[in-house]
Amino acid sequence: AQKVTQAQTEISVVEKEDVTLDCVYETRDTTYYLFWYKQPPSGELVFLIRRNSFDEQNEISGRYSWNFQKSTSSFNFTITASQVVDSAVYFCALSETFSGGGADGLTFGKGTHLIIQP
Amino acid sequence: DTGVSQDPRHKITKRGQNVTFRCDPISEHNRLYWYRQTLGQGPEFLTYFQNEAQLEKSRLLSDRFSAERPKGSFSTLEIQRTEQGDSAMYLCASSETDRGDQPQHFGDGTRLSIL
């Protein structure tokens, strides 16, 4: 069965510090997809990034970067020069594919509550 | 740009009552998903539709829960004989295709409180 573990329940940093959110996953599939979502206090889940299991290149988007390491089954998320607006709960999620090539529902971790203090 | 729309935003009801939620996906998204999220937890998958066909149901979806997507557009989730444990945020998401790399776009959710 698939599983996503976000061991950090809550992280608090001062604005402008860098912060890394950890995500470790378990799956028996060789083809799968990983996602990060942000849930601000308003509640709506906002899609940030996806990565497929065959693409281990790291990605950078502005202050955000993602480090995918298949060898350790990890997909970590770093925010550089954090800002107060980054305060939210961040979820890592996994999607496996079935034989037909489509995907089922996402399996989410429990989330990391990130608090950026001014 | 219209995203996923859910109605109502909040529902308060007494235990034992039936409730129904509605989800309008992004236009022309043929995949529609329902999730449940309780406080301090990540969303948990309940069921999904490919057009009007319900393709999978989680074990979390007891017999008191039923979902429909009659014309492949909007969907409804009904809970019969509500129990205290049903109190949660019910989230709807849609995606463009059935490819696993397509992100699911979420609505604001319906928060259900059982008195």
Side-chain angles (χ1 to χ4, degrees):
Chain A
Q2 53 191 2
K3 183 179 178 182
V4 175
T5 301
Q6 294 181 255
Q8 303 150 311
T9 305
E10 183 175 291
I11 299 175
S12 180
V13 299
V14 177
E15 197 172 22
K16 297 185 183 177
E17 287 186 14
D18 299 347
V19 58
T20 295
L21 310 181
D22 298 333
C23 172
V24 174
Y25 61 92
E26 296 176 27
T27 177
R28 288 178 291 187
D29 273 12
T30 55
T31 302
Y32 52 89
Y33 302 89
L34 295 163
F35 301 80
W36 276 94
Y37 283 84
K38 174 182 181 180
Q39 189 172 43
S42 58
E44 182 179 353
L45 279 159
V46 177
F47 165 72
L48 295 178
I49 190 172
R50 63 174 174 263
R51 173 68 69 233
N52 74 52
S53 53
F54 297 109
D55 182 3
E56 291 195 65
Q57 283 190 343
N58 293 329
E59 182 158 340
I60 298 175
S61 176
R63 296 183 297 106
Y64 295 171
S65 62
W66 291 269
N67 182 348
F68 175 35
Q69 292 196 339
K70 211 168 176 178
S71 60
T72 56
S73 298
S74 65
F75 186 42
N76 296 337
F77 173 30
T78 298
I79 301 175
T80 303
S82 59
Q83 300 176 1
V84 173
V85 294
D86 295 327
S87 297
V89 180
Y90 290 85
F91 291 98
C92 180
L94 168 69
S95 172
E96 294 178 332
T97 58
F98 55 82
S99 58
D104 299 338
L106 295 169
T107 296
F108 284 84
K110 291 189 176 182
T112 297
H113 184 197
L114 178 62
I115 301 168
I116 310 297
Q117 299 179 11
Chain B
D1 177 29
T2 55
V4 177
S5 176
Q6 292 189 245
D7 183 70
R9 289 295 307 277
H10 303 275
K11 179 71 177 179
I12 301 173
T13 191
K14 292 182 179 179
R15 186 179 54 173
Q17 298 295 306
N18 299 342
V19 294
T20 300
F21 312 139
R22 176 180 170 125
C23 171
D24 286 90
I26 293 172
S27 180
E28 298 186 1
H29 276 194
N30 51 30
R31 276 264 174 138
L32 186 148
Y33 303 80
W34 285 99
Y35 292 83
R36 182 176 70 185
Q37 184 178 20
T38 53
L39 196 62
Q41 302 295 316
E44 296 172 296
F45 169 71
L46 293 178
T47 187
Y48 77 82
F49 293 83
Q50 173 77 22
N51 299 313
E52 65 275 9
Q54 188 173 16
L55 296 186
E56 186 176 347
K57 296 183 201 179
S58 160
R59 282 174 289 181
L60 292 174
L61 211 66
S62 76
D63 292 344
R64 297 184 297 104
F65 288 69
S66 62
E68 294 183 344
R69 195 183 182 195
K71 297 182 180 179
S73 56
F74 74 91
S75 175
T76 58
L77 177 67
E78 181 183 15
I79 308 174
Q80 295 182 325
R81 305 181 302 283
T82 52
E83 301 173 355
Q84 295 254 324
D86 296 332
S87 294
M89 176 75 85
Y90 290 84
L91 296 166
C92 177
S94 69
S95 66
E96 191 172 342
T97 70
D98 61 354
R99 283 168 40 195
D101 64 338
Q102 293 301 305
Q104 295 177 23
H105 298 275
F106 285 80
D108 289 340
T110 293
R111 183 171 296 282
L112 174 64
S113 298
I114 307 298
L115 301 177

